[in-house]
Amino acid sequence: MGMTEETVVAVIMVGGPTKGTRFRPLSFNIPKPLFPLAGQPMVHHPISACRKIPNLARIYLIGFYEEREFALYVSSISNELKIPVSYLKEDKPHGSAGGLYNFKDLIMEEDPSHIFLLNCDVCCSFPLPQMLDAHKKHGGMGTILVVKVSPESASEFGELVADPVTHELLHYTEKPETFVSDLINCGVYIFTPDIFTAIEGVSSNWKERANLRRVSSFEAMAPDSRSHTEKYVRLDQDILSPLAGKKQLYIHETLDFWEQIKTPGMSIRCSALYLSQFRHTAPHLLANGDGIKKAYISGDVYIHPSAKVNPSAKIGPGVSISANARIGAGARLINCIVLDDVEIKENAVVLHAIVGWKSSIGRWARVQGHGDYNAKLGVTILGESVAVEDEVVVINSIVLPNKTLNVGVQDEIIL
């Protein structure tokens, strides 16, 4: 009897405007998933990783953004990868598991044997083929990508305990108050279609479960509605925690980099991580130069082909320069993201900063941060069309769009 080829579908959760408030002022201009990291939209990196999955049939993006905001990107990436990519808009929040279930019929149209589920705001090497192989060895309903972090930071994420031999998930708790484990959930999963049965089970028991929840739980106080099956189902608390220890879920540990892109500052860090990865995956995207005919390049740097960089500038490491940017003579750029149509004039310095669209930095000016990417004011962010005049110094500040700075500022939010 001939064996039928297995089909795989990938789903990437992209969130929505109400979820991107921490990404302001950058999210005023562009949906967070389309913000460029290492010269590519944030969502491009998990999409590109999905291309390496064997027998991938389709990629779905699920979120709350208007379809028109993703239409152009979805069309271009589908043509580029030769894989159908579709954007599906949720009518209301359903939770990470509920959102998946909401589009069950579409996802199952391809009759997939496996479904990858990824979060757009995760930055990692996305070892998806390795996860698929590990999942097939373990069996069960799903496999979770995990990483070891410091005990101090583990409580910010979902912590888990797994069998060191079988890799079965034994215990899972989301953001615990006391330390449980230095293994955390990376927000990347592979499931069999049985995940939908598990979500149905949560939904059918919703009323009973809601009554058992703490009074402070928003979900417990929400009115019961038969039209919402479709209840708000969270993958971590409602699926992973109850199924831990039941031989249904397993882990696959990555030893590579992993970060969550919660803030604009973290986008600088993650852009640099992706640039470093390009050395192995896409070296043609990295710039080079020795300071004679081209600008001197130090470390991993992306420069859009339309950008103009003076040969006497020094760029890098960890720098991404977008379309139509102009970098003047003697400018020094380190660990920064320069967006479209920016002008950085002679001898200016940009360090640990994001320079927003159509902004300008004057001669001998400095725009810099201390490089604490998790702190609210650990980097400097200029919104769209901000002008920093000659010799002005801006340190650890956030500047909203359409402002002109003619005096120095430090540790300020300029509204």
Side-chain angles (χ1 to χ4, degrees):
M1 182 184 291
M3 292 183 65
T4 58
E5 197 172 67
E6 292 183 335
T7 298
V8 179
V9 167
V11 176
I12 302 174
M13 310 300 285
V14 299
T18 57
K19 298 288 185 181
T21 53
R22 283 185 292 185
F23 215 69
R24 293 173 180 167
L26 303 173
S27 56
F28 288 150
N29 293 72
I30 191 172
K32 178 182 171 182
L34 299 182
F35 183 80
L37 305 179
Q40 310 284 350
M42 185 185 296
V43 72
H44 181 92
H45 298 282
I47 287 177
S48 184
C50 287
R51 182 172 51 175
K52 298 175 183 174
I53 302 171
N55 305 320
L56 179 68
R58 181 178 286 274
I59 300 171
Y60 289 106
L61 311 182
I62 296 179
F64 311 109
Y65 295 99
E66 295 300 325
E67 292 179 35
R68 57 181 168 75
E69 296 186 85
F70 277 82
L72 188 61
Y73 175 73
V74 163
S75 174
S76 70
I77 196 66
S78 296
N79 291 333
E80 179 186 332
L81 300 185
K82 309 298 184 216
I83 295 170
V85 180
S86 304
Y87 176 72
L88 305 175
K89 182 179 183 295
E90 287 193 79
D91 57 342
K92 63 184 81 172
H94 293 91
S96 47
L100 186 72
Y101 187 85
N102 192 44
F103 295 105
K104 172 189 172 184
D105 292 344
L106 275 174
I107 293 167
M108 291 305 297
E109 274 183 1
E110 304 289 345
D111 193 23
S113 59
H114 297 90
I115 301 159
F116 274 94
L117 179 64
L118 300 82
N119 284 291
C120 174
D121 63 352
V122 163
C123 168
C124 69
S125 58
F126 296 105
L128 306 182
Q130 295 91 325
M131 280 187 73
L132 181 58
D133 289 343
H135 177 75
K136 288 179 177 178
K137 288 177 185 173
H138 299 148
M141 186 184 75
T143 296
I144 308 165
L145 186 68
V146 304
V147 68
K148 273 189 179 171
V149 297
S150 68
E152 296 76 29
S153 63
S155 62
E156 299 172 23
F157 307 99
E159 296 180 27
L160 52 93
V161 177
D163 187 300
V165 177
T166 65
H167 305 295
E168 183 194 351
L169 178 68
L170 300 177
H171 178 70
Y172 183 91
T173 181
E174 184 69 16
K175 299 180 182 177
E177 294 181 5
T178 57
F179 178 74
V180 174
S181 167
D182 58 0
L183 273 182
I184 66 164
N185 177 3
C186 288
V188 178
Y189 316 87
I190 180 170
F191 295 110
T192 65
D194 291 339
I195 184 64
F196 292 119
T197 305
I199 298 171
E200 283 174 12
V202 172
S203 295
S204 64
N205 292 327
W206 181 263
K207 192 170 184 179
E208 177 186 344
R209 285 160 30 79
N211 290 335
L212 294 174
R213 284 193 178 135
R214 290 177 298 175
V215 176
S216 60
S217 167
F218 172 80
E219 294 171 333
M221 293 187 292
D224 188 56
S225 166
R226 292 289 176 187
S227 64
H228 201 159
T229 330
E230 301 150 343
K231 289 289 184 188
Y232 190 101
V233 182
R234 306 159 301 178
L235 186 62
D236 36 29
Q237 291 103 318
D238 297 327
I239 302 294
L240 304 185
S241 291
L243 288 179
K246 296 183 178 178
K247 301 193 183 305
Q248 289 293 306
L249 300 171
Y250 294 81
I251 69 161
H252 178 72
E253 183 178 353
T254 177
L255 303 178
D256 216 336
F257 65 91
W258 182 87
E259 297 285 357
Q260 188 174 13
I261 313 164
K262 293 181 179 178
T263 62
M266 279 308 300
S267 67
I268 301 175
R269 162 84 175 141
C270 293
S271 183
L273 288 171
Y274 281 135
L275 286 169
S276 178
Q277 187 185 33
F278 282 173
R279 266 191 247 166
H280 311 289
T281 61
H284 64 283
L285 293 176
L286 295 176
N288 57 74
D290 56 8
I292 300 174
K293 290 186 176 179
K294 293 182 178 179
Y296 183 85
I297 302 297
S298 172
D300 303 314
V301 171
Y302 169 82
I303 300 176
H304 191 276
S306 66
K308 303 254 187 310
V309 182
N310 189 282
S312 66
K314 186 173 181 181
I315 313 295
V319 174
S320 174
I321 299 175
S322 297
N324 301 311
R326 289 154 290 161
I327 314 298
R332 183 71 177 101
L333 277 62
I334 306 169
N335 291 321
C336 61
I337 297 174
V338 176
L339 298 173
D340 295 356
D341 304 305
V342 162
E343 181 177 17
I344 298 174
K345 295 181 181 178
E346 296 82 33
N347 302 303
V349 174
V350 181
L351 168 67
H352 301 306
I354 298 173
V355 185
W357 305 266
K358 302 176 186 174
S359 291
S360 63
I361 299 175
R363 297 169 182 84
W364 296 99
R366 294 181 69 92
V367 173
Q368 65 184 70
H370 290 158
D372 183 349
Y373 298 126
N374 281 309
K376 187 172 185 179
L377 293 177
V379 302
T380 286
I381 300 162
L382 305 184
E384 183 183 21
S385 299
V386 169
V388 178
E389 296 192 348
D390 295 352
E391 301 181 23
V392 169
V393 178
V394 184
I395 300 174
N396 288 346
S397 295
I398 297 173
V399 185
L400 268 63
N402 304 304
K403 299 291 183 290
T404 297
L405 300 182
N406 52 22
V407 294
V409 294
Q410 180 169 352
D411 300 323
E412 289 192 42
I413 299 175
I414 308 297
L415 301 175

